[in-house]
């Protein structure tokens, strides 16, 4: 059972939170209408799923209802870094997000 | 036509008094006027407006509550507060805040009917809460004037420590109130529960 | 009642003034307060306590603690009964009743013991090899095996006892209350840090409890008193830490009244309490487990671990025998040997070491015959040991000529394994220490420290110093200082001579099949050898092939010897064959404790609407919708479900019905950018919605699939009220917040749930306007208050928002009032509506009515794979703006024209109702498999149409209008045929709801 440091409320039990998947996957500008199917599919469906450091989103759903970002080690479950949306801390070197099959996304 | 009756969600819950000497005192708090207030804590107009209506300095530190004799303002999130006022404030509370704060940068929402308040105190109150709440309620980390949105048993609640006795106010959505009341009575069996009637 | 003929005259921690009667296997005995069931049995000379799992060999008490593999009993009878409880951990209480498990018909004459003779035929992997063929016989084999191999019996009656769970937080958690744990807790506690000290025994002290006087006992008493006086120290005794999880979260189970027996329990107290501990720092002082040694018959009753003999002797004043042979590879067996000798027993020690050192000299001085370089090669006896064969060991391990020694007790010590289980659970890596032939804690994965014997530390002074330092360190890391000086507790034990690793006496294969390694699962040295020969060379394979360490004792005794033997056979070091990973629970955890009070009405909250009691009084049958209790239907006397639902449906179409719709999700949206938000999350356009008007909307995920629908109304220029389906209320608020906070922070919108703030009564039917007109100040004319609009006024004197929207296809008003007035509103409408024939209707009638109109229910007619186009709702999908999921609608797969599409189905037999979920086929075959082209999503009998109706998702459905399809019912019932139709069955032009 994780103890997660909400950037606002402080350390709380995992049961108060919901997991929000991989972080920093921006919605394509304009809704992706000029993207190929493969590019759009990559945005909607593809995730890195690394063993090791992972940037991910959590929301304090039973607390202050705020979303935030973390860097978590998926092996040790250590939360290395926790930051608010919009904050851009120096992130540790992380595995790169794989590129879509037919070229970079926009 | 029958006179419309205003009923709290716990109106018909019977009182239980345990045989053991009571380590817990529980009470259904009377109806209150309550609003959820959304706004920008960095906006001096917003802060002074709330102070004017409630008499409270809006708490900008997370998980803190401000109290006067008849008003309380609880931090619910970085842009969200719960304002608690005497029942006679009624819908007037929302209207006065709305008129003072405007509707383009703030939101004021009535929740007086949505929430029930259970007061729980006594020497074993922390032990009772610890049976269903993962918060660290030790006096070193949770004190009078602290509040928290959290889970108690399987209900989402706002916990507000009112005094050092300790006494806590438990704010819970009305549909969960009967469940939570009974759960708390049952959790208190070990310590003995006295139910106070207003 | 038997005499306690093996009870020593004096000493021990028992209370001789409190004699307790108990029954074991139907026979009555007496023990004393302070006894365990095991010590009381031994005091009465009872060694035979059970039969082994596979071979049904007679088994006795092997240990004095939590690691006991043999002495498992069924405690008590009836609903209070608990299976497989270790007799070594059961505190004796008056009237206790226990029986052996795994013995049929009884422990002394076990018919299954034939397995013992057949042992040659039941080697490791036997089940896998033999019962694989023929496959169809497996069921038969399985039943026979289960009866033969079963452990205890679970009680069949509901558990009448209370169980609690409780959270506790601390700066420093100390697990283990022996000398190391006490020293740690003192060092941490003196700093003012919040300390929780957990120990499984009724008293703190651990191994110090084996001295009832002297400096150790004096220090123990002062330490316990000092801890008790500290405000921030919590001592939990009779509590076992069973799990160590991520982020220093641990689980411990406390006996609150369990040890009193149910006769002594007080009903307001729990039997067990499960502690959920969140610690800043953890110090493990969990001690060590002594190991057995393999020799033929080392499982006979009367063969025990040497340290256990010492514990029974000192703590319980019980001598488990009068003529003992100890068999050891280290110094620790000498202390219990000398204690027995001092008590008048005849004692011999066979020590595999050729030069046992000073300890042997001291033993000889008290009259003990020491046999250096000797081993016990076999034990003799039927249900109890009556002698052993000992032989000299050559330098190459060759066994000399054995000679017989008479004895009634064998004490063996193969060295000690630190209790690294919790450390391993925490993610810490183990390291092999060759000198002591044991695993010790290596690199921790969390803020975990290990002290004392659990850390492989030997010697009381070293252990106390280490524990004190760890306690002070842990407190310091938690932000506290001032631990004072380390306690000095001089040990009277001199320096120990080194141990000589020794796991099993060299022997012939036939004999090795009786050298037990894992006593609970009957795994022998022979089995390990067989596994190795057959290629199961890694420890993980060994475990699974032989079941070594897979019993309820989790191999506390057998794992390390099994591993070491495997390494020896392969000629490699222990780490080379691997280390085992220990998993939770450390000891078996009671199901009641896990469930706690999450049973009965507390299993899940029952959410009640403000009108709940009125529905109850009206005789409503309730349906669970998520956690909500919603009226399902309101049967009148003599009515079943069908009659009630039919009556309710007819009432809505012909007069007026009333539905409690409080549970619908309601989200208050405020701010200048609400229309922009709505445009992005709904498929249709919202900018031009006027104040006072309402609009239906559909939400998609980014994958283009429908996730929710509902009506949103404009309450003011910057103020909207969104409704969601009942089950999605929290999810949709979260969905809005997610986009607002993470992707569109520039939008000025505040979203708040007001689901609970308003009670909602829906009145629907041709008389709805007449009824409402009597109790409201609103102008209800169609011009003033048209369909898809809302007005604010009073209803029955209560301030209300009335929405003219419809989920039934009838003229319908949804009346929202503050929730505390909900019951009053409902009561007033029932009273006034009586003359209009008002009929309360439940969720089932609501479902039928909406299906008659072809209105979907998200989650019933959709399942996360359905687009708006699949639903035939192209009309609500804007072509002129972007919205969530829009791009996905033109992906190849979603743009296919032959996807599963929502259509109506009308059965050929109008009275036959299709099963929901029923698979639809185009071509019938004699038997499955048939090609399935879709399934029925909604199906009801419609009283208003006098026939059944259904909705279905059918592949390429819209091209099949008028086709006949078939719905087989493989689980019973005839195959039904139906015609594909449009989805609207009543009033397709909407004149009823627009009127």
């Amino acid at each position: 059972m994780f103890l997660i440091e909400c950037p606002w409320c402080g350390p709380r039990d995992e049961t108060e939170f919901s997991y929000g998947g991989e972080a920093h996957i921006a919605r394509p500008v304009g809704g992706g209408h000029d993207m190929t199917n493969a590019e759009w599919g990559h945005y909607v469906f593809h995730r890195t799923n690394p063993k090791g450091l992972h940037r991910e989103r959590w929301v304090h759903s039973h607390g202050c209802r705020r979303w935030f970002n973390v860097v978590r080690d998926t092996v040790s479950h250590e939360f290395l870094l926790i930051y608010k949306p919009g904050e851009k801390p120096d992130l540790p070197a992380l595995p790169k997000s794989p590129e879509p099959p037919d070229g970079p996304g926009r | 036509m029958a006179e419309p009756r205003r009923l709290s969600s716990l109106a018909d819950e019977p009182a239980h008094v345990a045989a053991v000497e009571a380590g817990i005192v529980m009470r259904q708090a009377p109806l209150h006027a309550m609003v959820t207030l959304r706004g920008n804590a960095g906006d001096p107009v917003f802060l002074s407006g709330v102070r004017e209506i409630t008499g409270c300095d809006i708490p900008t530190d997370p998980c803190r509550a401000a109290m006067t004799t008849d008003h309380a303002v609880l931090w619910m999130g970085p842009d969200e507060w719960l304002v608690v006022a005497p029942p006679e404030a009624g819908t007037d509370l929302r209207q006065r805040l709305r008129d003072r704060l405007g509707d383009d940068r703030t939101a004021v929402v009535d929740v007086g009917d949505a929430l029930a308040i259970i007061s729980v105190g006594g020497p074993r109150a922390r032990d009772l809460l610890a049976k269903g709440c993962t918060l660290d309620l030790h006096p070193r980390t949770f004190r009078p004037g602290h509040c928290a949105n959290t889970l108690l048993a399987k209900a989402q609640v706002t916990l507000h420590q009112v005094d050092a006795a300790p006494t806590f106010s438990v704010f819970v959505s009305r549909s969960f109130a009967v469940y939570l009341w009974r759960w708390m009575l049952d959790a208190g069996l070990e310590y003995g529960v006295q139910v106070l009637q207003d | 009642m038997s005499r306690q003929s093996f009870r020593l005259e004096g000493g021990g921690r028992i209370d001789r003034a409190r004699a307790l009667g108990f029954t074991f296997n139907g026979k009555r005995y007496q023990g004393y307060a302070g006894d365990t069931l095991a010590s009381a049995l031994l005091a009465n000379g009872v060694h035979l306590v059970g039969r082994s799992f596979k071979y049904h060999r007679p088994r006795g008490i092997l240990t004095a603690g939590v690691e006991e593999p043999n002495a498992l009993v069924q405690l008590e009878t009836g609903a209070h009964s608990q299976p497989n409880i270790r007799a070594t951990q059961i505190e004796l209480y008056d009237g206790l009743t226990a029986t052996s498990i795994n013995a049929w018909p009884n422990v002394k004459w076990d018919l299954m013991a034939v397995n013992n003779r057949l042992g040659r035929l039941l080697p490791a992997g036997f089940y896998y090899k033999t019962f694989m063929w023929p496959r169809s016989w497996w069921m038969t084999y399985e039943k026979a095996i289960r009866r033969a191999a079963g452990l205890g019996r679970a009680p069949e009656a509901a558990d009448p006892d209370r169980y609690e769970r409780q959270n506790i937080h601390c700066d420093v958690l100390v697990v283990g209350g022996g000398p190391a744990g006490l020293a740690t807790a003192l060092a941490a506690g003196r700093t003012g840090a919040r300390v929780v000290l957990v120990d499984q025994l009724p008293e703190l002290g651990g191994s110090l409890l084996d001295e009832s006087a002297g400096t150790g006992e004096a220090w123990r008493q002062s330490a316990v008193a000092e801890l008790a006086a500290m405000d921030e120290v919590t001592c939990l005794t009779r509590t076992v830490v069973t799990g160590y999880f991520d982020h220093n979260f641990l689980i411990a189970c406390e006996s609150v009244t369990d040890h009193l027996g149910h006769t002594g329990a007080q009903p307001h107290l729990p039997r067990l309490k499960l502690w959920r501990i969140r610690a800043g720092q953890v110090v493990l002082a969990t001690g060590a487990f002594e190991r057995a040694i393999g020799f033929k018959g080392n499982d006979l009753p009367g063969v025990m671990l040497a340290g256990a003999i010492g514990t029974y002797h000192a703590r319980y004043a019980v001598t488990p025998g009068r003529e003992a042979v100890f068999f050891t590879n280290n110094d620790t067996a000498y202390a219990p040997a000398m204690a027995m000798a001092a008590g008048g027993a005849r004692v011999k020690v066979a020590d595999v070491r050729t030069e046992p050192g000073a300890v042997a000299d001291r033993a000889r001085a008290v009259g003990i015959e020491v046999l250096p370089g000797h081993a016990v090669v076999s034990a003799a006896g039927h249900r109890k040991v009556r002698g052993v064969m000992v032989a000299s060991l050559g330098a190459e391990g060759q066994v000399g000529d054995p000679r017989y020694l008479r004895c009634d007790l064998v004490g063996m010590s193969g060295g000690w394994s630190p209790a690294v289980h919790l450390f391993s659970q925490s993610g810490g890596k183990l390291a092999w220490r060759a000198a002591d032939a044991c695993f010790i804690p290596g690199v921790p994965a969390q803020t975990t420290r290990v002290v004392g014997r659990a850390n492989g530390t030997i010697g009381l002074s070293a252990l106390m110093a280490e524990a004190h330092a760890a306690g002070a360190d842990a407190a310091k890391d938690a932000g506290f200082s001032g631990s004072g000086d380390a306690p000095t507790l001089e040990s009277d034990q001199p320096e120990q001579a080194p141990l000589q690793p020794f796991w099993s006496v060299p022997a012939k294969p036939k004999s090795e099949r009786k050298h037990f390694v894992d006593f609970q699962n009957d795994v022998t040295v022979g089995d390990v050898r067989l596994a190795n020969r057959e290629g199961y060379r890694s420890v993980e394979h060994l475990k699974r092939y032989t079941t070594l360490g897979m019993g309820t004792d989790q191999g506390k005794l057998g794992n390390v010897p099994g591993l070491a033997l495997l390494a020896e056979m392969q000629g490699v070091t222990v780490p080379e064959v691997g280390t085992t990973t220990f998993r939770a629970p450390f000891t078996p955890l009671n199901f009641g404790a896990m469930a706690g009070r999450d049973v009965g009405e507390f299993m899940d909250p029952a959410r009640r609407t403000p009108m709940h009691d009125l529905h109850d009084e009206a005789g409503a049958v309730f349906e669970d919708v998520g956690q909500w209790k919603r009226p399902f239907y309101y049967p009148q006397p003599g009515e079943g479900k069908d009659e009630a639902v039919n009556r309710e449906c007819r009432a809505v179409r012909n007069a007026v019905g009333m539905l409690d719709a409080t549970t619908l999700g309601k989200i208050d949206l405020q701010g200048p950018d609400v229309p922009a938000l709505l445009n992005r999350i709904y498929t249709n356009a919202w900018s031009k919605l006027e104040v006072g008007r309402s609009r239906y909307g559909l939400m998609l995920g980014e994958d283009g699939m429908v996730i929710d629908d509902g009506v949103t109304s404009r309450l003011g220029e910057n103020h909207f009220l969104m409704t969601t389906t009942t089950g999605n209320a929290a999810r949709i608020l979260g969905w809005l917040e997610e986009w607002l906070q993470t992707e569109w922070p520039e939008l000025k919108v505040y979203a708040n749930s007001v689901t609970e703030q308003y009670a909602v009564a829906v009145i629907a039917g041709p008389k709805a306007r007449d009824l409402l007109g009597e109790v409201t100040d609103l102008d209800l004319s169609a011009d003033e208050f048209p369909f898809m609009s809302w007005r604010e006024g009073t209803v029955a004197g209560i301030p209300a928002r009335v929405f003219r929207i419809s989920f039934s296809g009838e003229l319908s008003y949804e009346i929202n009032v503050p929730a505390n007035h909900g019951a009053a509103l409902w009561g007033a409408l029932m009273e006034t509506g009586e003359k209009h024939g008002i009929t309360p209707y439940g969720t089932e009638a609501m479902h039928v009515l909406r299906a008659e109109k072809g209105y979907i229910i998200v989650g019933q007619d959709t399942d996360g794979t359905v687009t708006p186009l699949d639903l035939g709702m192209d009309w609500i999908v804007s072509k002129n703006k972007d919205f969530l999921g829009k791009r996905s609608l033109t992906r190849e797969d979603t743009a296919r024209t032959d996807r599963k599409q929502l259509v109506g189905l009308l059965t050929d037999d109008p009275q036959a109702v299709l099963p929901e979920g029923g698979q639809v086929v185009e071509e019938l075959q004699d038997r499955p498999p048939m090609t399935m082209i879709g399934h029925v999503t909604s199906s009801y009998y419609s009283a208003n149409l006098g026939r059944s109706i259904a909705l279905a998702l059918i592949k390429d459905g819209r091209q099949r209008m008028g086709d006949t399809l078939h719905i087989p019912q493989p689980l019973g019932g005839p195959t039904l045929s139906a015609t594909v139709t449009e989805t609207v069955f009543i009033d397709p032009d909407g004149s009823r709801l627009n009127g």
Side-chain angles (χ1 to χ4, degrees), chain C residues 64-146:
Chain C
V66 65
E67 68 273 36
E68 176 61 35
N70 287 342
L72 306 183
V73 300
Q74 183 91 24
L75 185 59
E76 299 302 338
T77 55
H80 294 276
S81 183
Q82 291 188 81
N84 310 333
I85 309 297
R86 294 166 296 280
T88 50
Q89 288 198 293
I90 299 169
E91 289 179 50
L92 198 66
Y93 52 84
D94 202 39
L96 180 149
T97 299
T99 51
S100 297
I101 59 155
N102 204 22
W104 183 78
N106 65 55
V107 70
K108 284 198 175 147
W109 181 248
D110 182 345
L111 289 179
M112 300 309 292
V114 67
N115 281 3
N116 190 12
R117 304 278 160 76
L118 296 176
R120 212 159 43 85
L121 302 175
L122 286 170
F126 167 74
Y127 296 152
Y128 301 118
K129 287 172 184 161
T130 311
F131 294 128
M132 289 306 289
W133 183 91
R135 249 176 93 182
S136 57
W137 283 23
W138 172 246
M139 299 290 271
T140 315
Y141 288 139
E142 193 187 12
K143 277 176 197 151
I145 293 168
R146 292 221 183 279

Side-chain angles (χ1 to χ4, degrees), chain C residues 698-777:
Chain C
L698 207 55
M699 287 185 204
L700 311 184
E702 279 284 61
D703 59 0
M705 304 303 159
V706 173
I707 59 168
D708 204 51
D709 69 346
V711 170
T712 294
S713 304
R714 192 165 202 163
L715 303 182
E717 183 58 28
N718 295 335
H719 194 185
F720 290 69
L721 183 72
M722 172 185 285
T723 62
T724 72
T725 52
T726 295
N728 271 344
R731 182 178 162 211
I732 296 303
L733 179 62
W735 179 246
L736 301 181
E737 285 287 2
E738 177 180 346
W739 289 101
L740 285 170
Q741 289 178 37
T742 67
E743 199 72 22
W744 306 323
E746 74 281 4
L747 290 186
K748 295 190 192 70
V749 176
Y750 290 118
N752 291 286
S753 172
V754 289
T755 303
E756 302 265 7
Q757 173 68 13
Y758 299 101
V760 181
V762 176
I763 52 172
K767 303 273 185 62
R769 183 180 280 128
D770 296 345
L771 165 57
L772 185 56
E774 286 195 48
V775 291
T776 186
D777 55 355

Side-chain angles (χ1 to χ4, degrees), chain B residues 7 98 138 154 174-175, chain C residues 232 597 603 670 756 820:
Chain B
L7 290 175
R98 161 63 54 242
H138 189 275
K154 293 177 179 175
R174 65 171 302 130
S175 69
Chain C
E232 299 299 346
R597 293 189 299 112
M603 171 118 152
Q670 296 189 36
E756 302 265 7
N820 288 333

Side-chain angles (χ1 to χ4, degrees), chain C residues 6 81 84 93 120 209 225 386 402 481 492 651 692 701 819 995:
Chain C
F6 288 83
S81 183
N84 310 333
Y93 52 84
R120 212 159 43 85
L209 295 171
R386 55 181 159 74
S481 58
D492 53 1

Side-chain angles (χ1 to χ4, degrees), chain C residues 773-842:
Chain C
E774 286 195 48
V775 291
T776 186
D777 55 355
L778 290 169
D779 181 346
L780 300 180
S781 66
D783 288 345
E784 273 304 307
F785 194 172
F787 181 53
M788 296 310 277
S789 64
W790 73 275
R791 296 291 181 266
E792 194 158 5
T794 62
V795 176
I798 304 162
R801 284 190 195 122
V802 181
F803 298 81
R804 196 181 153 191
I805 54 185
S806 180
F807 194 44
S808 58
E810 292 299 319
L811 171 67
S812 165
Y813 299 95
E814 300 197 4
I815 305 160
N816 289 232
V817 298
N820 288 333
H821 295 288
L825 172 74
W826 187 272
L829 289 168
M830 284 300 292
E831 196 178 313
T832 310
E834 196 175 347
K835 58 178 167 296
H836 303 287
I838 192 166
T839 301
Y841 67 100

